[in-house]
Amino acid sequence: MTHFRDLTLYSYGVAESSQAGACNIGWLSADVAFPMASSEPQFVDRLWRYCKVSVGQTRGLHECEICRSREANVARRNADELLLGSAEIRVISGQGQLYAAPNLIYHYVVSHNYSPPPEFVLAVLEGPCPPEEGYYHLLTKMGIDWSNTLVPERGSKSFRFVKTPEGVVKVDQSGDSSKPSR
Ligand SMILES: [Zn+2]
């Protein structure tokens, strides 16, 4: 995955002008050290809610470069499961600052103790958060397309990632160990 330093200007993926002022968050790479600390449960809870809303859905699936585990793409919280690694999230602070992060950020925080910048943590804690209506209103106002984050198929113990003709990532139980492609 492409690496961007935290809080640099977002320029990846969708190039909508309304997102010109967005800040990069959580574009981690195995080669670059990142700040680590354990995160507050309330922050992780809300981050999970943001991860349910995908922006910039891509066809391929990024693996976590830090652990290189395919299991990293299937995230679980309470009774929920999400397929992470093929889309981004948007967080909007109370002051209207937009942040763009890969949705693998949830895995980075939970499994690798990634500690995002305090201003992002504050935005997650205090900004409009899905499923609040105000969050979707802001996305619409900013011209940002979103979709519901993909969910792994129920009960799949071994899985792989395939591209359908429509370009949607699906998970099946074939047990094929081929690596996901972009
Ligand atoms: Zn990982």
Side-chain angles (χ1 to χ4, degrees), residues 29-93:
S29 150
D31 309 324
V32 183
F34 53 87
M36 290 170 70
S38 57
S39 287
E40 296 292 327
Q42 197 199 352
F43 167 74
V44 181
D45 272 333
R46 289 176 69 92
L47 188 63
W48 177 257
R49 284 159 58 185
Y50 284 102
C51 286
K52 291 183 168 190
V53 180
S54 282
V55 172
Q57 178 72 51
T58 62
R59 294 178 180 200
L61 203 67
H62 288 292
E63 67 176 354
C64 169
E65 289 187 7
I66 299 155
C67 62
R68 299 225 171 250
S69 164
R70 289 193 304 150
E71 303 291 328
N73 293 106
V74 177
R76 296 180 182 86
R77 188 161 192 84
N78 302 322
D80 280 345
E81 282 191 332
L82 294 174
L83 185 65
L84 303 181
S86 67
E88 303 172 15
I89 64 165
R90 292 294 180 275
V91 172
I92 307 156
S93 77

Side-chain angles (χ1 to χ4, degrees), residues 5-7 24-26 35 43 99 105 114-124:
R5 286 179 61 87
D6 281 348
L7 301 178
N24 286 312
I25 293 289
F43 167 74
Y99 300 92
I105 188 173
Y114 163 56
S115 175
E119 65 172 80
F120 175 76
V121 174
L122 198 67
V124 166

Side-chain angles (χ1 to χ4, degrees), residues 131-149:
E132 293 163 19
E133 238 176 86
Y135 176 74
Y136 298 99
H137 283 163
L138 276 174
L139 289 187
T140 304
K141 206 170 127 191
M142 292 173 146
I144 300 172
D145 278 339
W146 60 273
S147 58
N148 290 311
T149 301

